[in-house]
């Protein structure tokens, strides 16, 4: 009976720590909840300007935090990179059940503002989910910013 009580206490502590971690890191720390990060902040975004850079990045991050669907990867071929660069940016949210969708970007000074829509179900899971989203920008803008700011809004589904 004593062991069962200790297990409940440990479980309560673990769940509390998980909730606090999701709250702290899911909102305002550079994740989907909004925030700013730059190239010195743990590779939160990367700008790729060629097909070879893209292939190398995918190969070295496959199964890690790179979760762009296979069906979308063929869009980023040599022809694409002739006129475009690709900004891959990492988001994290408070729940794996929240789907995030990239909607567009605006360059404001030295910051690239990306708009992200969160599709949030009524019931959330308790896991932290990372998403790699892609923003296609003109090649000439590839070196025009040193920060990415995520402007997000939530839609209940």
């Amino acid at each position: 009976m004593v062991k069962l009580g200790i297990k409940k206490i440990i479980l309560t502590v673990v769940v509390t720590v998980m909730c606090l971690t999701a709250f702290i890191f899911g909102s305002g720390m550079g994740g989907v909840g909004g925030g700013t990060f730059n190239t010195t902040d743990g590779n939160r975004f990367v700008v790729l300007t060629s097909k070879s850079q893209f292939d190398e990045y995918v190969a070295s991050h496959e199964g890690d935090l790179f979760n762009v669907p296979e069906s979308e990867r063929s869009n980023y071929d040599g022809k694409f990179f002739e006129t475009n660069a690709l900004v891959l940016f990492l988001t994290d949210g408070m729940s794996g059940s929240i789907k995030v969708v990239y909607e567009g970007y605006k360059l404001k000074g030295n910051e690239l503002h990306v708009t992200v829509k969160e599709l949030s179900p009524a019931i959330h899971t308790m896991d932290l989910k990372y998403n790699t989203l892609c923003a296609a920008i003109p090649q000439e803008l590839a070196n025009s910013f040193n920060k990415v700011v995520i402007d997000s809004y939530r839609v209940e589904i």
Side-chain angles (χ1 to χ4, degrees):
M1 193 64 136
V2 173
K3 287 184 180 180
L4 183 58
I6 292 173
K7 287 181 181 179
K8 283 185 180 181
I9 291 170
I10 292 172
L11 180 60
T12 302
V13 169
V14 168
V15 169
T16 302
V17 169
M18 287 173 57
C19 290
L20 287 172
T21 301
F23 175 75
I24 291 168
F25 291 105
S27 59
M29 294 295 290
V32 168
T36 302
F37 48 85
N38 58 43
T39 54
T40 61
D41 187 19
N43 291 326
R44 301 292 289 195
F45 76 91
V46 63
V47 180
L48 306 175
T49 58
S50 70
K51 172 70 169 141
S52 61
Q53 284 181 335
F54 178 76
D55 290 341
E56 183 178 316
Y57 186 86
V58 171
S60 63
H61 292 82
E62 187 70 50
D64 185 9
L65 296 176
F66 187 79
N67 59 358
V68 175
E70 189 79 38
S71 60
E72 292 179 23
R73 296 178 195 178
S74 62
N75 297 332
Y76 309 118
D77 57 10
K79 185 154 180 66
F80 170 85
F81 284 106
E82 288 175 7
T83 56
N84 298 290
L86 191 63
V87 180
L88 302 177
F89 58 99
L90 182 66
T91 67
D92 54 293
M94 288 182 59
S95 172
S97 60
I98 298 174
K99 182 179 179 184
V100 293
V101 179
Y102 164 75
E103 292 197 324
Y105 76 90
K106 287 184 182 176
L107 188 61
K108 296 179 182 177
N110 67 343
E111 298 178 342
L112 184 72
H113 286 248
V114 293
T115 303
V116 174
K117 176 171 55 174
E118 300 174 347
L119 302 174
S120 179
I123 299 174
H124 295 198
T125 58
M126 291 297 295
D127 56 336
L128 184 63
K129 180 180 180 185
Y130 294 93
N131 299 285
T132 304
L133 300 178
C134 302
I137 62 171
Q139 272 283 358
E140 59 268 16
L141 296 182
N143 295 313
S144 300
F145 58 94
N146 59 14
K147 292 182 181 179
V148 171
V149 177
I150 298 177
D151 299 321
S152 64
Y153 66 97
R154 184 169 288 182
V155 176
E156 301 295 326
I157 55 172

